[in-house]
Amino acid sequence: MKVQSLSAVLAGLFFLPGAVAHPDMEAVLEQLKAQDCCDSTELLGDLLYLHPTDLTPVGRLIEGILTGTTGGESDEPNNSVPELGSAACHADTCCVWQYVVEDIKKYFKDYDGQCTNAARAAIRLGFHDAAGWSKHTGEFGGADGSVVLAPEEAQRRPNAGLQQIIAQMKIWHDKWSSFGISMADLIQVAANTATVACPLGPRIRTFVGRKDSHIASPEEGLLPSPFDEPDFLIELFRAKTIQPRGLAALLGAHSTSRQRFIDATRFGAPQDSTPGIWDVLFYNQTLGPTPNNVFVMESDKKLAKHPRIHEIWRTFARDQARWNADYAREYVRVSLLGVYNLNYLTDCTRVLPRAVRYW
C-alpha cells in the first residue's frame, strides 16, 4: 500500500462514528506526515539492483547523492586541460567537455554578469528532457536527448518557447559530436553550466555517459502545468522519485524565469524582481506581497501554502545556502531520470565554471 493511501485511510478513521483516536495511531500519523517533507532518497536506474560490492567510485558517489549522504554541489577545480585532439585529451573523458563548456558559457552570462534568456532556456530544457519519465514508463523517456532529437516531443505544448534553445543545441551538437558527445549529456551539461553562470547559482555535480534516443518520451502528461493543483503536482513528482521537499527546491529555478505563454498580456514578466540572479526572492515574493511587475503562477502560489510544502518553502525564503544544497541534490536526481548506466557514468563537474558566491 502506498504511504499516501495509508495516511488517508488512517486519517479517515478519526471521523468514523464512535471512533476514538488511539495515541499509537496518532504517532503513526505524525510519522507519515513527517515523511511528506523528507528528502527524496530512492535509488535510480541500475543502482536499484547492483550489489554494493559491484559499484564503481562514481556509482557510489551517485548513490550517496541520491540517498542524501553526499551533497550535490562541488567546487572541484580543473587544474589543467590537454590540447583538444591530443592523445591525452582523448584518454580523458572530461577533456572535450572543458572545451564545450568554454564554447557555450558565453551565451549564458550577460554584459552585467547576470544570466541571460539563453541560460534560463537551457535550465528549462534540462528539466523538460529528463522529466519525460516516471516509475510507470519503463526504460523509455528521461534524460536521453529526445526533447531535441525527437521532433514530436519538441513540438508538444509544454515545450513551447524552447525552440530557439533546441536549435542552438543542434548547432553545438553538430560542432562537437565528432568528439563523441551525446545530445543527452550536452543538454544536462548546458543546464548546469547555465545554473552556475547565474550569480549565486550552485555548481551542481555533473555526470556524462548518457545514451541518446530519437524516440519521443512515452506520453504527454509527464510534465507539470502551471494550472495543475498542488496534490496532483506532488503525486506527479513522487512518480519521478521526488518528494514534496524536492519539488519545492526545484521550483526555485523560477527565480530566473520569465513567463511567456501563460498570460500573453504580460509576455516576458519575471517570476521575481531579480530574474538574472539565482536568489531566494522568488520564494519570498510568491508568498507575498508580490510586486506589480512580478508574475506568480497559480500553481506556485498554491504549492507555497500547501501543508506539505509551506514550512520548507519558508525555510528556502530565508536560507540561500540551504536552497542551493537542496536544489543541487534534487537536480542531480532529475538529470539521471531514465538513465540505466549510472554505475558507468563519469563525473565531469570539474569542467564547470566557478560559482559566483556573492552578489
Side-chain angles (χ1 to χ4, degrees), residues 42-50 340:
E42 289 186 60
L43 292 176
L44 295 169
D46 48 328
L47 300 188
L48 284 166
Y49 56 80
L50 286 174
Y340 290 88

Side-chain angles (χ1 to χ4, degrees), residues 84-328:
L84 184 65
S86 67
C89 190
H90 181 73
D92 179 357
T93 300
C94 298
C95 178
V96 66
W97 286 106
Q98 181 69 68
Y99 290 93
V100 172
V101 168
E102 287 298 315
D103 185 27
I104 69 177
K105 69 179 185 180
K106 58 181 175 287
Y107 290 85
F108 300 146
K109 193 177 286 287
D110 217 336
Y111 68 92
D112 60 359
Q114 298 187 36
C115 49
T116 62
N117 284 334
R120 54 184 62 95
I123 294 167
R124 183 175 171 228
L125 186 70
F127 176 77
H128 279 229
D129 188 41
W133 176 91
S134 83
K135 290 187 285 186
H136 312 299
T137 56
E139 296 190 9
F140 296 97
D144 59 7
S146 61
V147 72
V148 174
L149 298 173
E152 173 194 339
E153 186 173 343
Q155 293 167 9
R156 289 174 180 169
R157 184 173 181 178
N159 295 322
L162 292 174
Q163 282 63 41
Q164 187 172 354
I165 193 65
I166 285 173
Q168 185 61 60
M169 286 290 171
K170 291 178 179 178
I171 292 171
W172 288 331
H173 188 255
D174 287 346
K175 180 176 180 178
W176 295 103
S177 60
S178 62
F179 293 92
I181 73 168
S182 70
M183 180 64 80
D185 285 339
L186 178 60
I187 290 171
Q188 298 306 325
V189 170
N192 288 352
T193 302
T195 299
V196 77
C198 297
L200 307 183
R203 193 169 184 261
I204 301 171
R205 286 277 187 185
T206 300
F207 301 92
V208 301
R210 298 169 186 80
K211 300 175 182 179
D212 282 344
S213 174
H214 289 77
I215 301 173
S217 60
E219 59 188 74
E220 296 193 47
L222 292 172
L223 293 175
S225 163
F227 306 107
D228 288 335
E229 291 298 317
D231 287 332
F232 175 85
L233 289 169
I234 287 170
E235 294 310 315
L236 179 70
F237 276 76
R238 275 181 164 155
K240 303 180 193 299
T241 75
I242 297 167
Q243 295 300 317
R245 187 158 90 181
L247 169 57
L250 292 169
L251 284 172
H254 290 168
S255 171
T256 61
S257 173
R258 291 181 181 272
Q259 81 84 27
R260 300 174 63 187
F261 300 103
I262 301 170
D263 183 347
T265 66
R266 301 190 62 189
F267 183 90
Q271 290 187 249
D272 77 10
S273 297
T274 55
I277 303 172
W278 189 275
D279 58 20
V280 296
L281 203 55
F282 162 76
Y283 289 103
N284 286 280
Q285 293 182 342
T286 300
L287 287 170
T290 304
N292 291 333
N293 68 315
V294 169
F295 182 89
V296 178
M297 293 182 184
E298 278 301 310
S299 56
D300 287 349
K301 187 183 301 183
K302 292 177 180 178
L303 280 166
K305 299 176 181 178
H306 194 280
R308 292 178 179 171
I309 286 178
H310 181 65
E311 287 305 315
I312 191 63
W313 193 284
R314 286 168 55 86
T315 298
F316 291 152
R318 59 180 180 266
D319 194 336
Q320 177 83 38
R322 172 70 177 277
W323 170 48
N324 273 4
D326 278 24
Y327 181 90

Side-chain angles (χ1 to χ4, degrees), residues 44-47 49-51 53-63 93-94 185 207-211 336 339-348:
L44 295 169
D46 48 328
L47 300 188
Y49 56 80
L50 286 174
H51 190 274
T53 59
D54 295 327
L55 295 182
T56 64
V58 168
R60 287 194 294 271
L61 172 61
I62 293 174
E63 180 186 56
T93 300
C94 298
D185 285 339
F207 301 92
V208 301
R210 298 169 186 80
K211 300 175 182 179
L336 301 176
V339 180
Y340 290 88
N341 60 331
L342 300 182
N343 200 39
Y344 304 100
L345 299 182
T346 301
D347 180 6
C348 287

